[in-house]
Amino acid sequence: MSDTQQRLLGFPANAAPQVDDELAAPLLNMLLNNIGDPRTPDPYGMGSKDFEQEVVELLAWLAGAHPDDTYGYLAPSSSYGIGHGLKLGRDRLPHAPVYYSSAAHYAVPRQIDLLRMDAVQVPALPDGRMDTIALERACKARPGRGAVVLATIGTTMTGAIDPLPEIRRAASPAGPMHLHADGALGGLVAALAPPSERHPWAFDGGADSVTVSGHKFLGCPIPCAILLARKELVRPAQQGQYVGRHQDGTLACSRSGLAALLLWRTLARLGLGGMEKQVLSCLEVADYAQQRLTELGLHAWRHPGSITVVLDPPPPEVRARFSIPVEDGIAHIIAVPHVTPDLVDEFCDAQQTAKAQGSPLS
Ligand SMILES: *Cc1c(COP(=O)(O)O)cnc(C)c1O
């Protein structure tokens, strides 16, 4: 695994978390369980809810909302958080279908299925963004039912950002709407890129609920995600008596207190300035990769402000060595924080060697 970690180039997560061993080791001998709502006391005094709340507050700011108006918690994964976001939409609009693009993550249709909501897949444009003209047409065909729309902020293959304000306009023929922004990997990049490359990606773009993964850009070594929603949309249910009969707005019972602590630690170590620097450096590495591949005569492109560089599929041996995925005839490398210019060079050299040896291109 440590060998693989050095060469992960197409995987959408920061695989070098930089956790401080001395800090983390004793925590592995404790059960840190954030049971129930983040704002209620830890029933056994063995949780990290204060830290979790600070993570949620920071993410609310970055998503363009005031923490006082925002509900949030640390969910076990983005899929889970997306399920909760869609459920908030269903609670508001029980007859509305879910509109999502063909470039959305494969976790999305599964969550729609679990919720037994109607699914309407909207085609994506060739560059991966949702086709908002097709969305408008689909909404006009189902007037008055309302719309729950799942927008992706950084699609899996091309890193495309679905245009939130444009989606709000296009879905208006359906009637009232709930907009969920899936910013698993791309949310923080959109929030923290230099101003000219920033995008409205969350509440700032009209979203009602938002998810961001903790183990992707931020590199938490435990899979997790932050779910945020406009506070008035969350209707808490009552917890069991033995954990204190508090109101609980989450869908979980046990949640990882260790993930919350390690995520807090990462954010505290970097600070907002450090996170901005990290995003800038990733964008520079992505730009470098695009340039180097172009110099080699390969077709490489990326969306403005994206760390995903789309390319033609490299030969199988190169793909295997650098963990590069291929889907629908395209491949990508993703300049997450552990990706260095040296790793990009290594990849380019491997590409050149394969080409010289006349390896078939896919
Ligand atoms: C990774 C990803 C997901 C799924 O996240 P999990 O935490 O693996 O459940 C959903 N949407 C997007 C855009 C992703 O990149």
Side-chain angles (χ1 to χ4, degrees):
M1 285 187 278
S2 44
D3 277 355
T4 305
Q5 185 190 27
Q6 313 292 323
R7 278 180 285 103
L8 279 178
L9 200 46
F11 187 66
N14 177 359
Q18 306 196 335
V19 172
D20 176 347
D21 295 356
E22 268 174 54
L23 178 106
L27 299 174
L28 297 178
N29 278 311
M30 294 178 193
L31 172 61
L32 297 182
N33 190 346
N34 292 359
I35 300 176
D37 204 275
R39 288 165 307 182
T40 61
D42 285 310
Y44 300 104
M46 287 287 293
S48 63
K49 287 186 181 178
D50 293 347
F51 295 90
E52 179 183 16
Q53 279 193 67
E54 289 196 6
V55 170
V56 166
E57 271 175 34
L58 176 63
L59 266 289
W61 284 119
L62 291 175
H66 194 287
D68 289 350
D69 305 328
T70 313
Y71 181 82
Y73 65 94
L74 199 64
S77 68
S78 271
S79 308
Y80 178 107
I82 289 166
H84 196 170
L86 296 177
K87 180 189 179 298
L88 295 175
R90 192 187 69 176
D91 290 347
R92 294 169 79 184
L93 307 165
H95 305 292
V98 184
Y99 298 85
Y100 65 102
S101 103
S102 54
H105 194 271
Y106 70 83
V108 171
R110 296 198 307 210
Q111 295 298 323
I112 299 172
D113 184 48
L114 266 177
L115 290 161
R116 291 190 169 275
M117 297 169 80
D118 289 337
V120 181
Q121 195 188 72
V122 176
L125 298 167
D127 70 6
R129 281 175 306 147
M130 185 187 281
D131 180 346
T132 51
I133 293 173
L135 172 66
E136 186 170 4
R137 209 178 302 129
C139 288
K140 276 185 177 154
R142 296 165 184 82
R145 285 179 64 185
V148 174
V149 185
L150 183 294
T152 309
I153 309 302
T155 59
T156 311
M157 280 316 288
T158 69
I161 295 181
D162 288 340
L164 299 187
E166 179 60 21
I167 284 174
R168 277 222 158 257
R169 192 201 56 71
S172 59
M177 82 178 282
H178 179 94
L179 180 58
H180 181 88
D182 169 12
L185 172 66
L188 287 174
V189 179
L192 294 162
S196 64
E197 291 179 289
R198 261 175 217 181
H199 294 268
W201 70 281
F203 302 109
D204 55 349
D208 301 293
S209 53
V210 175
T211 36
V212 178
S213 290
H215 59 287
K216 288 195 167 169
F217 194 82
L218 289 172
C220 178
I222 300 169
C224 60
I226 301 104
L227 168 89
L228 303 169
R230 291 202 287 118
K231 197 177 189 170
E232 67 270 24
L233 302 179
V234 179
R235 280 178 286 167
Q238 190 152 78
Q239 281 174 194
Q241 190 172 4
Y242 77 108
V243 284
R245 276 216 183 287
H246 294 291
Q247 294 293 308
D248 182 5
T250 74
L251 293 183
C253 184
S254 296
R255 292 178 296 108
S256 172
L258 183 56
L261 254 183
L262 296 180
L263 200 50
W264 181 90
R265 176 70 187 155
T266 299
L267 297 173
R269 178 171 53 79
L270 289 171
L272 207 52
M275 288 166 72
E276 280 178 339
K277 261 195 210 146
Q278 199 170 46
V279 169
L280 183 63
S281 146
C282 290
L283 288 167
E284 284 168 359
V285 173
D287 194 48
Y288 176 72
Q290 186 185 354
Q291 276 182 31
R292 283 243 32 212
L293 289 163
T294 308
E295 281 163 20
L296 291 178
L298 298 165
H299 180 55
W301 62 274
R302 67 191 181 99
H303 287 281
S306 171
I307 59 172
T308 300
V309 183
V310 185
L311 47 136
D312 293 335
E317 68 272 22
V318 178
R319 259 155 50 193
R321 184 164 156 213
F322 295 94
S323 302
I324 311 259
V326 172
E327 197 174 289
D328 296 332
I330 55 169
H332 65 214
I333 61 180
I334 306 185
V336 273
H338 73 260
V339 172
T340 58
D342 284 349
L343 182 58
V344 171
D345 286 343
E346 208 186 306
F347 170 72
C348 289
D349 292 347
Q351 280 271 55
Q352 238 176 343
T353 309
K355 205 168 147 191
Q357 291 169 350
S359 173
L361 264 180
S362 55

